[in-house]
Amino acid sequence: MPLRFFNTYSRELEEFEPCDPASRKIGIYTCGPTVYSRAHIGNFRAYIFEDLLQRHLELRGYHVHRVMNITDVDDKTIRGAREANIPLSEFTAPFKEAFFQDLETLRIKRADEFPAATEQKYIERMIAMIETLISRGLAYQAEDKSVYYRINKFANYGKLAHFDLSQLQSTGRVKNDEYDKEHVGDFALWKAWDEEDGDVGWESAWGRGRPGWHIECSAMSTALLGDQIDIHCGGVDNIFPHHEAEIAQTEGCTGKKFVCYWLHCAHLLVDGQKMSKSLGNFYTIPDVLAKGYSGREIRYALMRVHFRAPLNFTWEGMEETREALKRIDEWLERLREAAAKSADNKSDTQIGQQFEEALDDDLNISAALGFLFESIRETNRALDRNELDAASAKAWLNWWERVNSVLLVEKEKGQELPPEIAALAGAREMARRAKDWRKSDELRDKINALGWKVRDTKDGQKIAPGATS
Ligand code: AMP
Ligand code: ZN
């Protein structure tokens, strides 16, 4: 069965073929975090879906080149730096670092490149793209000195979001007091400097200012992946206006189709509402670690539902996850025991392709996991009856290697802390982030008292069994 994905652009399941059908190389671009605060697990649902996508494509023999940008200049980062009274780069640095730490906790494969919007070469590219758009009549400088995209001039504007431009005028969703724009939906490519921006700004032909969020992604994606990108991902909230704007900007400059497949994941919800910073209903990775759950448990919990279906986050869900992973751990242990009984490797066990085929079908993880647990049930039954020989156990273990190369949920030896220690470690990590050294020391003493030692390294605390030296 060929791979197929639901393309947001066409709203259809489409057979997957790279933009260049002869190539096995695939470029994937992901809208990365805005580093004004620690990312929450809702954000990580998006990154985990993308990780699953990358790993499955690699399992199927594609070579993926993945780019994830870091938005380190926008309204929120500037506001944060101003409130903290520190330079922008100093304000964003700890959030970038925390983001990389969280990626590692969740076993998310690092992108090949993490371009940051404030890098001079990308700022120059953004300015050059805006110049091109102005020269083609697709953008204009308004009275307020900012530069806007003229959406009426781009025939395909609204195609991704299936949005009717006339609706935009009547919804009142967009602030109408921006009198100097030609159309309420025209979005900023370049924001003229104002006092609130402090020392954040770059010179351009239109005066001092800074790029709009949307142009950042158009410039960085094409700089690193070329004018055409195989797959562009994000959460559904990115579809409009962000991705719609990316298409208008990029195609306005290149005249070519920008993205072959648009993939968007549904939200992580809490009590039926999107988990978000603004609603205050969010958990960070250290919050969940502080409750005693491990990185692989969080990974599994965020991955186990199809990416296009909303997923409700609950603590019962975390408990179900713990049970599911325990079943896998116990099963692997039994298989390893059975496999060790003989050196015989010849097995006539036929293992179905359903796991991989389910993922081929728009990353149908629920069906893939269904097959995994069905297989676990059957092999366990055979083991109970002493009917699974060593060679067959080995065949199942080999199969699991492939499965786990996508899921990445196997317990790593010596890595997993008991829940009680993990909870204390998570709490200590939070205390350290809040620079509450007294609490951090108290928690270290508690961890020591339970027979574990703590070492603080530049990559964070490391905890291992044993007395403190
Ligand atoms: P942001 O830092 O807000 O730009 O978000 C980074 C990524 O996380 C984007 O792809 C968003 O679409 C995604 N995202 C934000 N909130 C959620 C959520 N509750 N569930 C799933 N994805 C989300
Ligand atoms: Zn983006």
Side-chain angles (χ1 to χ4, degrees), residues 192-255:
W193 183 89
D194 71 24
E195 264 170 39
E196 307 242 295
D197 293 344
D199 59 3
V200 179
W202 291 266
E203 299 307 326
S204 76
W206 322 286
R208 192 168 171 74
R210 60 184 168 96
W213 173 39
H214 313 315
I215 195 76
E216 294 179 7
C217 281
S218 286
M220 291 184 277
S221 60
T222 53
L224 295 165
L225 293 168
D227 290 347
Q228 279 208 317
I229 296 173
D230 296 294
I231 305 179
H232 193 315
C233 312
V236 284
D237 55 325
N238 283 158
I239 298 173
F240 193 88
H242 187 51
H243 290 163
E244 194 74 61
E246 276 188 44
I247 295 174
Q249 294 162 157
T250 316
E251 296 190 359
C253 283
T254 65

Side-chain angles (χ1 to χ4, degrees), residues 30-36 39-47 50 71 76 213 233-238 243 265-269 273-276:
T30 294
C31 293
T34 306
V35 282
Y36 71 105
H40 56 69
I41 56 172
N43 301 127
F44 283 105
R45 179 180 195 206
Y47 304 130
E50 291 150 8
T71 300
K76 289 183 255 185
W213 173 39
C233 312
V236 284
D237 55 325
N238 283 158
H243 290 163
C265 85
H267 285 141
L268 184 68
L269 309 176
Q273 275 188 306
K274 176 189 172 191
M275 178 176 288
S276 72

